[in-house]
Amino acid sequence: MPLSEAQKKAQKKYNDSHKDHRRYLSYRNTMRTFLRNYATDADLEEVKELLTERHQINRIMDNLDAVRALISEPDFTVKTKATVSIWRRPADMMKNKQENEHLTNAQIQQWFDAHNGATFNPETPIVEIHFNHHVHLYDALHAYDIVEWLVNSAK
């Protein structure tokens, strides 16, 4: 049965307003079809590695969301006497410092290394906490525990 003009218009409006979800469903269905019908053992081994990597990314993003929730509480900075910045990558933090503090690349690298920055994965988010006149850097997996401790110790 053909759709009426009103139904076509409503369907288009729905599709336009739900593009991301429709894309997600399409990719998920494609993945399932591939795994069920076409994947070789080599493909499945690669999928295992990708799953492990994706679980790690999801844990990082969950921790960052939790950090954002804590630092967005009213009076967080006043209560904890700390400021928190979340950086997508260590290089983004270093670039920001260079631009805002007018330091050379060598000075920024020296500062970063002095704060154990060399131990961070260059593609993993980093959390910068200024507390008690010191700068502390944490990877995204550990930052929530530290920020939660700051909040609880301020009570």
Side-chain angles (χ1 to χ4, degrees):
M1 181 171 179
L3 297 176
S4 70
E5 287 303 316
Q7 288 172 321
K8 288 179 186 178
K9 186 176 177 181
Q11 183 68 47
K12 180 175 177 11
K13 181 179 177 184
Y14 177 86
N15 289 344
D16 290 345
S17 63
H18 294 88
K19 283 182 183 180
D20 289 340
H21 186 66
R22 291 180 64 243
R23 184 180 306 119
Y24 162 79
L25 293 174
S26 174
Y27 287 156
R28 187 180 67 181
N29 289 339
T30 300
M31 174 209 51
R32 288 176 174 171
T33 299
F34 175 77
L35 290 175
R36 285 187 184 125
N37 300 321
Y38 303 104
T40 65
D41 285 345
D43 294 329
L44 294 174
E45 288 303 316
E46 182 182 2
V47 167
K48 284 181 189 177
E49 291 173 19
L50 293 171
L51 286 170
T52 300
E53 185 179 307
R54 187 63 208 188
H55 281 298
Q56 175 89 1
I57 290 168
N58 286 348
R59 280 198 316 275
I60 287 170
M61 298 313 290
D62 289 346
N63 273 4
L64 288 178
D65 289 344
V67 168
R68 284 185 188 96
L70 286 174
I71 65 176
S72 67
E73 290 180 8
D75 300 328
F76 169 83
T77 302
V78 173
K79 289 177 187 174
T80 62
K81 297 179 179 57
T83 58
V84 178
S85 300
I86 299 172
W87 302 97
R88 170 60 191 93
R89 298 177 353 199
D92 297 337
M93 180 187 68
M94 293 169 63
K95 182 180 178 189
N96 180 274
K97 285 202 170 302
Q98 183 180 24
E99 290 172 356
N100 292 327
E101 298 176 21
H102 308 292
L103 301 173
T104 66
N105 284 341
Q107 290 170 317
I108 293 294
Q109 189 64 52
Q110 183 180 10
W111 176 89
F112 189 64
D113 292 344
H115 290 85
N116 294 321
T119 61
F120 292 98
N121 178 329
E123 295 303 320
T124 302
I126 188 170
V127 177
E128 177 184 21
I129 301 174
H130 292 259
F131 180 68
N132 281 346
H133 308 292
H134 295 284
V135 176
H136 305 276
L137 303 176
Y138 299 97
D139 64 49
L141 288 174
H142 298 97
Y144 176 77
D145 296 331
I146 303 302
V147 173
E148 183 182 46
W149 174 82
L150 284 170
V151 169
N152 290 333
S153 66
K155 291 181 180 178

